[in-house]
Amino acid sequence: MLDIRSVSKRYATRGDDLVVLRDVNLTVNAGESVAIMGPSGCGKSTLLNIAGTLEPPTTGDVTIDNENPYQLDETRLAAFRNRNIGFVFQEHHLLPQCSVLENVLIPTLVASDDNDVITRAKTLIDRVGLSDRRDHRPAELSGGERQRSAIARALICQPRVILADEPTGNLDRKSADTVADLLVQLQREFNAALVVVTHSQSLADRFDKQFDLLDGMLKPR
Ligand code: ADP
Ligand code: MG
């Protein structure tokens, strides 16, 4: 589903170039989950952004559902991203003035292809255990509830690939476990490819494969 081939990423800085990714190879099949670990600054977020069609690699190829998204023009790329990729970040990135239900519906404003989105949003909100918080705004939620809302939002367009960047980084242990359980359950139900960046070994242990990002390369853990 997600295939990353010989990807490198170099940032041109004032001094010399900064090589963040050297030679990254990663294949994640539908229904498969992968954890990526590594020290701060080693390039994990950069790799997720490249996988998520947000940032082109310097060299190498990204294939998602047999398509190279970086060959699409900007409009098509945005539609492709919205349809195929669900993001969960460390910070929830929910819109503060919108309710949980409205936040979950935001991606469908761009990609709405059916009238059942509200039913689907309500079902997802129910699945992440927030039925009785549906009309709350983010400020009225706990950290764990915000991340659960963010998971529902990530899944509303039924993406083939779910990318989560330290999704439990700001949560206490119990909320982190709930969020992790939901991510894995829903990823399996959706038969999506899941890549999770985490510093937590207990979170990483829930996924099918684990890699360390070291010296710009992925190594099996
Ligand atoms: P991680 O998520 O593993 O903590 P990042 O992928 O955020 O690491 O960053 C990896 C390295 O790339 C860091 O040293 C960071 O400063 C650098 N970096 C990230 N984005 C840019 C950018 N747009 N321009 C220059 N350097 C960047
Ligand atoms: Mg990061």
Side-chain angles (χ1 to χ4, degrees):
M1 183 53 62
L2 169 65
D3 195 46
I4 294 174
R5 271 310 107 206
S6 309
V7 156
S8 77
K9 183 69 184 183
R10 195 182 320 123
Y11 290 114
T13 52
R14 270 171 296 277
D16 35 23
D17 281 4
L18 177 67
V19 179
V20 179
L21 303 177
R22 218 168 279 282
D23 183 20
V24 172
N25 292 285
L26 177 67
T27 302
V28 190
N29 297 316
E32 193 176 35
S33 59
V34 165
I36 294 177
M37 305 185 78
S40 183
C42 73
K44 304 180 299 296
S45 296
T46 302
L47 177 56
L48 274 203
N49 290 341
I50 290 172
T53 78
L54 291 168
E55 169 105 48
T58 306
T59 61
D61 289 307
V62 175
T63 311
I64 294 167
D65 203 8
N66 297 314
E67 189 158 2
N68 179 347
Y70 291 110
Q71 285 173 349
L72 301 170
D73 65 39
E74 216 165 297
T75 313
R76 289 208 174 90
L77 179 60
F80 180 91
R81 182 184 305 130
N82 199 57
R83 193 171 63 242
N84 289 293
I85 302 184
F87 291 99
V88 183
F89 302 95
Q90 179 168 7
E91 298 293 332
H92 52 84
H93 293 303
L94 300 168
L95 294 185
Q97 69 275 31
C98 293
S99 69
V100 170
L101 180 60
E102 288 162 347
N103 267 289
V104 170
L105 284 168
I106 284 165
T108 70
L109 302 177
V110 187
S112 185
D113 52 355
D114 62 69
N115 300 317
D116 300 331
V117 286
I118 293 178
T119 310
R120 218 162 67 217
K122 287 179 174 170
T123 305
L124 269 171
I125 290 167
D126 187 36
R127 291 289 291 114
V128 300
L130 292 177
S131 288
D132 55 351
R133 297 285 189 280
R134 203 195 279 157
D135 299 320
H136 287 227
R137 286 191 293 270
E140 300 162 341
L141 301 172
S142 71
E145 289 169 345
R146 284 184 205 135
Q147 283 305 66
R148 278 143 63 195
S149 306
I151 291 174
R153 180 189 52 188
L155 293 171
I156 187 69
C157 290
Q158 301 167 303
R160 319 303 311 274
V161 176
I162 304 167
L163 303 173
D165 197 350
E166 304 191 39
T168 64
N170 291 341
L171 302 180
D172 61 58
R173 179 64 193 267
K174 190 159 168 284
S175 310
D177 284 344
T178 309
V179 163
D181 287 341
L182 281 169
L183 255 185
V184 175
Q185 272 170 31
L186 289 166
Q187 169 255 334
R188 290 201 180 126
E189 262 171 51
F190 281 70
N191 199 34
L194 171 66
V195 182
V196 180
V197 165
T198 182
H199 288 291
S200 157
Q201 184 61 54
S202 67
L203 177 59
D205 286 339
R206 295 163 188 263
F207 306 120
D208 299 326
K209 291 179 184 163
Q210 296 178 25
F211 295 93
D212 279 310
L213 184 56
L214 284 176
D215 304 322
M217 291 180 282
L218 284 180
K219 308 200 169 100
R221 233 175 127 78

